[in-house]
Amino acid sequence: MANRFSAGYLISDADYETAKQRALNITVEQTVEIPRDIVPAGYVEDEILGRLEALEAADGGYIAEISYSLDDVGGDFLQLLNVLFGNSSILSKTRLVWMKPCDGLEAITPGPRFGRAGFYDLAGVSSGPLLMSAIKPVGLSTAELARLAGDFARGGMDFVKDDHGLVDQKTAPFSERLAACVDAIGEANAKTGFRTRFIPNITAEGGRTIERAYEAKEKGAGGVMLAPALAGYDIARQLAADADFGLPVISHPAFSGANVVGGDCGFSHRFYFGTLQRLMGVDATVYPNFGGRFGFSRDECLSIVDGCSEAFSNIKPILPAPGGGMTFERVPEMKAAYGKDVVYLIGGALIRERATLADACKRLAEAVRAT
Amino acid sequence: MANRFSAGYLISDADYETAKQRALNITVEQTVEIPRDIVPAGYVEDEILGRLEALEAADGGYIAEISYSLDDVGGDFLQLLNVLFGNSSILSKTRLVWMKPCDGLEAITPGPRFGRAGFYDLAGVSSGPLLMSAIKPVGLSTAELARLAGDFARGGMDFVKDDHGLVDQKTAPFSERLAACVDAIGEANAKTGFRTRFIPNITAEGGRTIERAYEAKEKGAGGVMLAPALAGYDIARQLAADADFGLPVISHPAFSGANVVGGDCGFSHRFYFGTLQRLMGVDATVYPNFGGRFGFSRDECLSIVDGCSEAFSNIKPILPAPGGGMTFERVPEMKAAYGKDVVYLIGGALIRERATLADACKRLAEAVRAT
């Protein structure tokens, strides 16, 4: 018998008996996908078929805990995700809210190479908060974007990343922008003594994502960013598992929002922006902060922090990177919510101070790090 | 000035003025992602910034048509998707319902290589409906699965595919299963004169998806299936654009459901399972049929058919492949809904007739093709 991991599904709009039947349907849907009464006896029924381990009343319905065999996964990370919520993602009023790991998961994914502690090491500090900003908008020239990157670095930001909309447009092609930003930041670091790192966006067509990851490494980038919902859920794991690569991976939520905002379907915020990112090998996970331009609540954001940091197999904790509409005024509120283990992503509010950007970055760092 | 494509967003829970402000926010969010008042004048504001082209009352709210410049995409297919609904996918009560193409899109994606007409050619007929079944469950041995494939072929199914949960498990490893199923089907075809084609599931870790696609081709498969929401939205396009590959691509909805079932967020069924699949280069799109185990309505399913078949740039129409809970009894209802341009995917109801499977397939084919 192989080890079994399990998932918790919130089944809403159901009484106990209905919830139980729907939970039993999930045990079939996620594994054998043939009518229950014709599941072959023996190995398939005993090992492969999902098992309803518990069904308990919860806020909004019933939580069904269903376990699955590692045999059904084989060695394939995407099949792990498929078993967790492949077809059942299409069900209404059924939400994957958590996962419980089991021994043997490390053969399917190593998790992040750096994680929270490694990220602090790269930034040259022993604890956070860390600061990250983004060069933008799309449409500026390479020279203009590199100047921005240099100013962010002079201001002492720990990380400067590409906006996720910067790919390979003719106004600032990937290779040219990467080289120019690494140079501008290197020059600034040489003067200031800061250790600012540049994080290019490597989300690209097919195999080119991995090529750009390696180009980023060769040209001196300090990490890479990608949008897993576009590029595929296995790219970060590939990079994390690759000892030759050896840079941290930041994930961006582009194209993924519908996975959480439907409310009673899809994934919990905790799982999608926390647990799943760790399984994928992501070191820091960007998501929209509460009170910004998107509708995530404070509680949903703090559940993401839990998903990033709770004990989970031997997979390292990672850093939450809330962004989207952060302003100077909101620093006290964010410090109260997030404490030290966080990367603050702040873009527009700094770019607004374009004329004195390095000073604005320093003021931000002081506000964030004041006790 | 570059050509502009546009998208329609359904903005719900809003009066006209609120809807207009939210639409204007989308023009910023999807492009420059900095506050509107600091968008640089000139090229960035005039060309890159999204443009609100129309705002009209619609069922459930207002439809905002927003246009975007091909300059913001460059040559990258994933950036096309990012511009359409990257960050805004995280907004509540905002749903991408349609897209209008523009000239120049063909440089970003060729669309499907085969499409509807090519699929008929492969099946050796001039029109549908076509029939596809799936070998399963996971946990059976290679020999058992190959025997099933052979029986489906003897029954005259046009396509036999892997269940999407079959990847590379030790009970039936990918390469072994592929070879055995192609052999079993080839043997059957030699006796019957049918032209049944085997479609393996190539969804796999990172670059291995493309490797498996080529292994499928070399070993005589008749097409490949993948789950874009897991493997990434660019793989099908890569395969469709690759003249050396030259097999049709079928997409599976695993892990993608939350993109449509949230109702007022995410994507319309028409766009996600129709338009998007064509943009991705998919030749036939599997989705759950109405009245089966999932909650799609008849209207939602027919909107997918529209998305698959309506005129859209020079991108070929493709085939809808409704599946999930189809039974013999439902054939008349499905014929009335879908007409001829369809691939019926029927698995469990046939496997139930395991002892006389080839006969059951023939009865199904007669029922489906009777006029």
Side-chain angles (χ1 to χ4, degrees):
Chain A
M1 305 288 273
N3 292 328
R4 299 181 79 84
F5 59 97
S6 67
Y9 303 90
L10 177 61
I11 297 178
S12 51
D13 202 20
D15 59 22
Y16 181 84
E17 284 306 318
T18 313
K20 186 174 178 185
Q21 190 49 57
R22 283 169 51 191
L24 290 170
N25 292 347
I26 294 172
T27 66
V28 171
E29 191 69 53
Q30 289 309 107
T31 57
V32 294
E33 214 200 326
I34 53 176
R36 176 65 186 89
D37 61 302
I38 59 169
V39 174
Y43 177 75
V44 176
E45 185 172 39
D46 297 342
E47 179 72 32
I48 296 294
L49 183 66
R51 266 183 225 154
L52 179 56
E53 304 282 0
L55 183 68
E56 287 176 7
D59 194 22
Y62 290 86
I63 300 268
E65 177 174 0
I66 296 175
S67 74
Y68 303 102
S69 167
L70 280 185
D71 273 8
D72 191 6
V73 176
D76 194 325
F77 179 64
L78 294 179
Q79 173 67 356
L80 174 68
L81 304 187
N82 183 41
V83 169
L84 284 169
F85 209 46
N87 275 6
S88 291
S89 70
I90 316 171
L91 293 170
S92 300
K93 299 185 187 305
T94 303
R95 186 165 172 99
L96 192 161
V97 288
W98 47 254
M99 173 186 173
K100 287 184 189 166
C102 64
D103 288 346
L105 199 62
E106 63 279 5
I108 299 165
T109 177
R113 176 167 292 271
F114 292 87
R116 186 171 63 199
F119 229 70
Y120 288 146
D121 289 348
L122 294 173
V125 296
S126 58
S127 80
L130 298 173
L131 287 170
M132 176 158 62
S133 196
I135 55 170
K136 52 186 171 181
V138 183
L140 293 186
S141 68
T142 297
E144 288 168 313
L145 291 167
R147 211 172 307 132
L148 257 178
D151 286 347
F152 280 132
R154 264 182 292 283
M157 303 299 283
D158 298 298
F159 300 93
V160 178
K161 73 172 191 64
D162 273 338
D163 180 56
H164 73 286
L166 288 168
V167 286
D168 197 35
Q169 292 93 345
K170 65 185 175 194
T171 40
F174 178 80
S175 299
E176 180 185 289
R177 183 177 77 245
L178 169 61
C181 289
V182 168
D183 279 357
I185 289 172
E187 249 176 66
N189 285 347
K191 285 184 191 155
T192 61
F194 291 133
R195 292 167 56 169
T196 305
R197 296 169 74 90
F198 183 62
I199 316 274
N201 173 30
I202 59 167
T203 309
E205 292 173 39
R208 206 168 292 173
T209 302
I210 299 289
E211 282 172 30
R212 287 195 185 163
Y214 268 90
E215 184 180 342
K217 181 189 163 72
E218 281 150 26
K219 288 194 172 151
V224 294
M225 180 181 77
L226 56 81
L230 287 167
Y233 286 108
D234 194 59
I235 307 266
R237 189 206 57 78
Q238 266 186 274
L239 293 173
D242 178 354
D244 291 338
F245 180 61
L247 287 182
V249 179
I250 296 178
S251 77
H252 190 280
F255 218 67
S256 76
N259 287 293
V260 303
V261 299
D264 57 7
C265 57
F267 304 85
S268 69
H269 294 70
R270 179 198 196 97
F271 178 84
Y272 192 87
F273 289 111
T275 316
L276 175 60
Q277 307 293 325
R278 291 167 75 184
L279 289 167
M280 283 197 288
V282 161
D283 297 286
T285 170
V286 174
Y287 63 90
N289 193 27
F290 63 95
R293 306 191 303 276
F294 299 89
F296 286 17
S297 71
R298 188 177 191 275
D299 282 352
E300 285 164 349
C301 289
L302 294 185
S303 78
I304 293 171
V305 174
D306 285 345
C308 289
S309 53
E310 68 192 342
F312 190 90
S313 185
N314 53 358
I315 293 181
K316 292 175 184 154
I318 62 171
L319 280 168
M326 189 180 177
T327 58
F328 280 81
E329 293 69 36
R330 296 197 60 220
V331 168
E333 181 190 9
M334 292 180 68
K335 284 168 71 174
Y338 289 110
K340 285 188 163 180
D341 289 336
V342 62
V343 182
Y344 289 125
L345 172 56
I346 182 163
L350 287 173
I351 292 175
R352 181 178 288 292
E353 320 265 332
R354 183 70 192 88
T356 54
L357 186 62
D359 288 340
C361 292
K362 286 177 195 162
R363 277 192 289 126
L364 179 70
E366 278 164 26
V368 163
R369 283 161 189 159
T371 46
Chain B
M1 305 288 273
N3 291 328
R4 299 181 80 84
F5 59 97
S6 67
Y9 303 91
L10 177 60
I11 297 177
S12 52
D13 202 22
D15 59 21
Y16 180 84
E17 284 306 318
T18 313
K20 185 172 176 187
Q21 189 52 54
R22 283 169 52 191
L24 289 171
N25 292 348
I26 294 172
T27 66
V28 171
E29 191 69 54
Q30 290 308 106
T31 57
V32 293
E33 215 200 325
I34 53 175
R36 177 64 185 89
D37 61 302
I38 60 169
V39 174
Y43 177 75
V44 176
E45 184 171 40
D46 297 342
E47 180 73 32
I48 296 294
L49 183 66
R51 265 183 226 156
L52 179 57
E53 304 282 358
L55 182 69
E56 286 175 9
D59 195 20
Y62 290 86
I63 301 267
E65 176 176 1
I66 296 175
S67 73
Y68 303 103
S69 167
L70 281 185
D71 273 7
D72 191 6
V73 176
D76 193 326
F77 179 64
L78 293 179
Q79 172 67 356
L80 173 68
L81 303 187
N82 183 40
V83 169
L84 283 169
F85 210 44
N87 275 6
S88 291
S89 71
I90 315 171
L91 294 169
S92 301
K93 300 184 186 304
T94 302
R95 187 164 170 99
L96 192 161
V97 288
W98 48 252
M99 173 187 172
K100 287 184 189 165
C102 64
D103 287 347
L105 200 61
E106 63 279 4
I108 299 166
T109 176
R113 178 167 291 270
F114 293 87
R116 185 171 66 200
F119 228 71
Y120 290 145
D121 289 348
L122 294 173
V125 296
S126 58
S127 79
L130 299 174
L131 288 170
M132 176 158 62
S133 196
I135 54 170
K136 52 187 173 183
V138 183
L140 293 187
S141 68
T142 297
E144 289 167 313
L145 291 168
R147 211 173 307 131
L148 255 179
D151 286 347
F152 280 132
R154 266 184 290 284
M157 303 299 283
D158 299 297
F159 300 93
V160 178
K161 72 172 190 66
D162 273 337
D163 179 55
H164 74 286
L166 288 167
V167 286
D168 196 34
Q169 292 93 344
K170 64 186 175 193
T171 40
F174 178 80
S175 298
E176 180 185 287
R177 182 177 79 247
L178 168 62
C181 289
V182 167
D183 279 357
I185 289 173
E187 250 176 61
N189 285 347
K191 286 184 191 154
T192 61
F194 291 132
R195 293 168 54 170
T196 305
R197 296 169 74 91
F198 182 62
I199 315 274
N201 174 30
I202 60 166
T203 308
E205 292 172 39
R208 208 168 290 173
T209 302
I210 298 289
E211 282 171 30
R212 288 195 183 161
Y214 268 90
E215 183 179 346
K217 181 188 164 72
E218 281 150 26
K219 289 194 171 150
V224 294
M225 180 180 77
L226 56 84
L230 287 167
Y233 287 108
D234 194 60
I235 308 267
R237 190 206 56 79
Q238 265 186 276
L239 293 172
D242 178 355
D244 290 339
F245 180 61
L247 287 181
V249 179
I250 296 178
S251 77
H252 191 281
F255 217 67
S256 77
N259 287 294
V260 304
V261 299
D264 57 7
C265 57
F267 304 85
S268 69
H269 294 70
R270 179 198 195 99
F271 178 83
Y272 192 87
F273 289 111
T275 316
L276 175 60
Q277 307 292 326
R278 291 167 74 185
L279 287 168
M280 283 197 289
V282 160
D283 297 287
T285 171
V286 174
Y287 62 90
N289 194 27
F290 62 94
R293 305 191 303 278
F294 299 89
F296 286 16
S297 71
R298 188 178 192 274
D299 282 352
E300 286 164 349
C301 289
L302 294 184
S303 79
I304 293 171
V305 175
D306 285 346
C308 289
S309 54
E310 68 192 342
F312 189 91
S313 184
N314 52 358
I315 293 181
K316 291 173 185 158
I318 63 171
L319 279 167
M326 190 179 178
T327 58
F328 280 81
E329 293 69 36
R330 295 196 61 219
V331 168
E333 180 190 10
M334 292 181 67
K335 286 168 71 173
Y338 288 111
K340 287 188 163 180
D341 289 335
V342 63
V343 182
Y344 290 125
L345 173 56
I346 182 161
L350 287 172
I351 292 175
R352 182 177 287 293
E353 320 264 334
R354 184 70 193 89
T356 55
L357 187 62
D359 287 341
C361 293
K362 285 177 195 160
R363 278 192 288 123
L364 179 71
E366 278 164 24
V368 163
R369 284 162 188 157
T371 46

